[in-house]
Every structure is written in C-alpha cells, then in structure tokens.
Amino acid sequence: MTDAPRHTALDALHRALGATMTDFAGWDMPLRYGSERDEHLAVRTRAGLFDLSHMGEITLTGPQAGDLLDYALVGHLSALAVGRARYTMICDAEGGILDDLIVYRLGELEYLVVANASNAQVVLDALTERRGHLRRSRGEGFDATVRDDRDAYALLAVQGPESSGILKSLTDADLDGLKYYAGLPGTVAGVPALIARTGYTGEDGFELFVAPGDAERLWRALTEAGKGVGLVPSGLSCRDTLRLEAGMPLYGHELTTATTPFDAGLGRVVKFDKKGDFVGRTALEAAAERAATDPPRKLVGLVAEGRRVPRAGYAVVEAASGKVIGEVTSGAPSPTLGKPVAMAYVDAAYAEPGTAGVAVDIRGRHEPYQVVALPFYKRQR
C-alpha cells in the first residue's frame, strides 16, 4: 500500500479552478489549469502564479550554522550576506549530487535551506547527520540547530515581466532595491512574507514564503492584482518547459547521485577556497581536474530540425553510424522557439555548439538535431 499524496493549503482552490492534478514527489499538485502552452507564454510575456508549497524548507540557527553549511554543502554559505540567497548543492562523499538547493541568510545566526520536494527528507537527514560529524573525535558537533520547517510554510511564486508591478501594488517593500537572489521580510496584501527575488522560469519574478493559513488569502489578492496585466494560474507542466528553455537543471534528470556539479557544467558552485574540509571535497577535486582535461561527457542543448519530440532516456546517436554518443535528460516542445528542444549528456567530441551529424533515436527513427549552447532562452534584462 502506498501513502496517499499530501495536499497543499491551496488544494481546494486549485480544484475549484479546474486544475488537472498530478502526484508529484508525494504531493497532489496542479499540472495545468488549461493550456500549458498558454500558461508558458503568459509567464514569458505577462505573468504566471504558481503554488510551490511542495518544496522543502529547513531552518538552521545558532553560532555555527554558517560553518555547518560550509561543511555540509559545496558552497561558501558563511560568507553570504544577510538578506541574500545562493544557489548551491549538497553532495555525497563521492561527489554525487544529493540535491540542488537555494540557501537564504535570514539573519546573522539563521539560514533557510530550500530543497526539492523529492529530496527534502534526504537533505534534512544529511544536514542532521553532518551537524555532529566534523568534531566526532572531540565528542561534540557544530553549535547549530537543524529544524524541519516543511509544515511551517506555503510557497507561492509570481513569475514574468509583469510580476514586479503586480507585487508593488500589494506591498510597501522596496522591490526596486531587491536584487536577484535576495530576500527581505515584508507584508504582501497584509500577509507577512519572506519576499525573495528568485525563480525557476528564466524570467524576473518573486517567491513568497508565508504561513499555510495565509496562502489562499494571498493567492486571491495576487490574482485580483494581476487581472489587468493578464496574470494566469500556472502549473508544473509549464514550469518544466520554462526551466528547460532557460537551461536550468532538474534533479533526477540533469542532476543525480551519478553526476557531479562539474559533469553538469556547474562547477562554479563548488568553492574549494573556503576554509576547512567539506563533504565530497576530495572526489570533487578529482572531478574538477577530469572536467578540465578529459571530460567523458558534457551537458549540451539540442534543437530539433523536425517536429518530433525527444524525451528523457532517449539515445543521442551519431547520424551516420548510429553509434550511441549520449542520452537525453529532458526534452519537450519549446513554445518560445516553436520547435522541440532537449538537454542531453553527450560524448565530449560531439559537445561543441554547431557540431553536425547528431541525431536522437525517437522510437527507432534517427531525427536530426543541432547541438547548441545552453540556455535556449535568455530574457532581456
């Protein structure tokens, strides 16, 4: 018997809006409300409103909370300024990625770690274990507390070029001064919130962390404020095509325990210059050297010459010989480009943008694809 999926505080509202629901990482979540293409294009040109309450929040507090994160994660989080956020990863001892994360520094002694829903328990367990690991010989751990706050938050996101205007009509917070990857406490439509300028769509936007009991009130206020500019409720389906166009990795696809940050072209998040040891350092140093000198495969973008859509797990082949040279990790029709796109790991010899003679095996037919640099789409700042 499997556990029944969890429901967010907005579940009844989603159903009233006619959302198609789906089980995602143990949560019943809105996949789409109508046309996923229309939702996608609304986010690119106007604004979309998302329920992301399935994400996992973990709070770290105490004098050595930053030191614990420096040891447990690959980034240098103790150097993060209060009010700023950073994209980072947590790896195992072999350098494999357990999850990619966003960490917010809420105060001198307080951090908020946001994990993917499917990995929230893994991240919580790893942080709890690593809290006591470094100083085991002295019988003590880091002077920090790790707290599971997954039930303390609902998370709403407003994404798209009109998102700033929508939010400004509901808050006195200084949004013009709020930089990308930063957050500040404030109120939105009278609701206390952590207002973060972050997102997973490739557009400007905001993520709002609020108490679950305030989620419906805030959703309705955002919906009303966005009526004049075409804001639409948006589901996980368009969120996936938006992040794919923006070249953003998805855990379980581009990122797994079998890949390191360097395999995924994200070695920049690993900070070898921070003080002290961290989990996976030795393995990641070897991965960095391998990536610089003799990488076996690289993550690339693929754009279709035809109309057939590749999916995760499809083989990438050399068109002339049929030799397998890689594997698709994510693929979908791109509403912005008007043609199918994919991300794939391919042999390094075929990874240069413009490489000819590459195809994807789609149900036995070798469909021609062009190798391109990521991302497929980048918004005009």
Side-chain angles (χ1 to χ4, degrees), residues 98-130:
L98 296 175
D99 201 15
D100 61 334
L101 313 164
I102 295 181
V103 178
Y104 300 86
R105 189 166 191 172
L106 303 183
E108 287 296 334
L109 306 180
E110 184 176 7
Y111 297 80
L112 179 66
V113 176
V114 181
N116 287 296
S118 58
N119 296 325
Q121 189 64 47
V122 170
V123 174
L124 176 65
D125 291 346
L127 290 173
T128 301
E129 189 276 331
R130 293 174 190 187

Side-chain angles (χ1 to χ4, degrees), residues 8-351:
T8 78
L10 294 167
D11 183 74
L13 187 149
H14 296 317
R15 295 175 191 278
L17 291 172
T20 299
M21 307 297 286
T22 189
D23 186 347
F24 182 82
W27 290 80
D28 212 11
M29 297 298 296
L31 185 65
R32 68 181 71 85
Y33 298 84
S35 161
E36 58 197 63
R37 180 179 182 276
D38 290 347
E39 292 171 22
H40 178 112
L41 294 175
V43 176
R44 284 278 179 257
T45 59
R46 303 187 306 277
L49 177 57
F50 297 84
D51 179 8
L52 306 179
S53 301
H54 60 305
M55 302 295 282
E57 294 86 6
I58 303 163
T59 300
L60 282 78
T61 57
Q64 293 185 308
D67 295 332
L68 168 55
L69 288 172
D70 285 349
Y71 171 70
L73 311 182
V74 301
H76 191 185
L77 285 310
S78 66
L80 193 61
V82 173
R84 297 308 303 268
R86 184 162 296 164
Y87 176 76
T88 186
M89 295 181 184
I90 183 167
C91 291
D92 59 25
E94 290 73 42
I97 302 168
L98 296 175
D99 201 15
D100 61 334
L101 313 164
I102 295 181
V103 178
Y104 300 86
R105 189 166 191 172
L106 303 183
E108 287 296 334
L109 306 180
E110 184 176 7
Y111 297 80
L112 179 66
V113 176
V114 181
N116 287 296
S118 58
N119 296 325
Q121 189 64 47
V122 170
V123 174
L124 176 65
D125 291 346
L127 290 173
T128 301
E129 189 276 331
R130 293 174 190 187
R131 176 193 170 276
H133 181 78
L134 185 59
R135 302 184 181 187
R136 185 175 296 167
S137 62
R138 294 170 54 183
E140 61 185 59
F142 289 96
D143 187 1
T145 298
V146 179
R147 185 174 73 237
D148 181 0
D149 271 347
R150 284 177 285 180
D151 292 334
Y153 290 102
L155 178 57
L156 279 63
V158 187
Q159 300 283 302
E162 298 289 349
S163 58
S164 180
I166 293 169
L167 218 56
K168 282 179 181 179
S169 71
L170 298 173
T171 183
D172 292 331
D174 179 17
L175 299 187
D176 289 333
L178 187 64
K179 297 179 180 178
Y180 190 49
Y181 268 73
L184 80 169
T187 58
V188 182
V191 171
L194 169 64
I195 306 168
R197 201 162 204 155
T198 47
Y200 194 51
T201 63
E203 297 297 336
D204 188 21
F206 301 84
E207 296 182 322
L208 308 172
F209 296 82
V210 301
D214 291 329
E216 183 171 341
R217 175 184 171 189
L218 181 55
W219 179 284
R220 293 187 184 280
L222 290 164
T223 299
E224 184 65 28
K227 277 184 177 178
V229 294
L231 174 140
V232 301
S234 303
L236 294 182
S237 184
C238 82
R239 190 168 181 255
D240 188 52
T241 53
L242 289 160
R243 71 90 193 167
L244 174 57
E245 288 183 350
M248 295 177 168
L250 175 64
Y251 196 87
H253 291 252
E254 289 71 43
L255 309 178
T256 70
T257 53
T259 58
T260 73
F262 295 94
D263 296 328
L266 293 168
R268 63 183 180 276
V269 307
V270 182
K271 305 301 181 185
F272 291 120
D273 57 351
K274 62 181 173 178
K275 183 180 177 181
D277 194 16
F278 63 91
V279 176
R281 175 189 274 274
T282 300
L284 289 169
E285 287 174 340
E289 182 176 353
R290 185 170 62 248
T293 58
D294 188 27
R297 286 188 171 185
K298 290 185 176 182
L299 186 64
V300 302
L302 299 174
V303 176
E305 295 182 17
R307 309 302 302 177
R308 302 191 77 196
V309 180
R311 299 297 182 186
Y314 286 11
V316 182
V317 300
E318 186 181 67
S321 67
K323 179 182 74 171
V324 175
I325 58 171
E327 183 176 312
V328 172
T329 53
S330 297
S334 166
T336 304
L337 275 63
K339 56 184 70 175
V341 299
M343 286 197 280
Y345 282 105
V346 301
D347 294 348
Y350 300 86

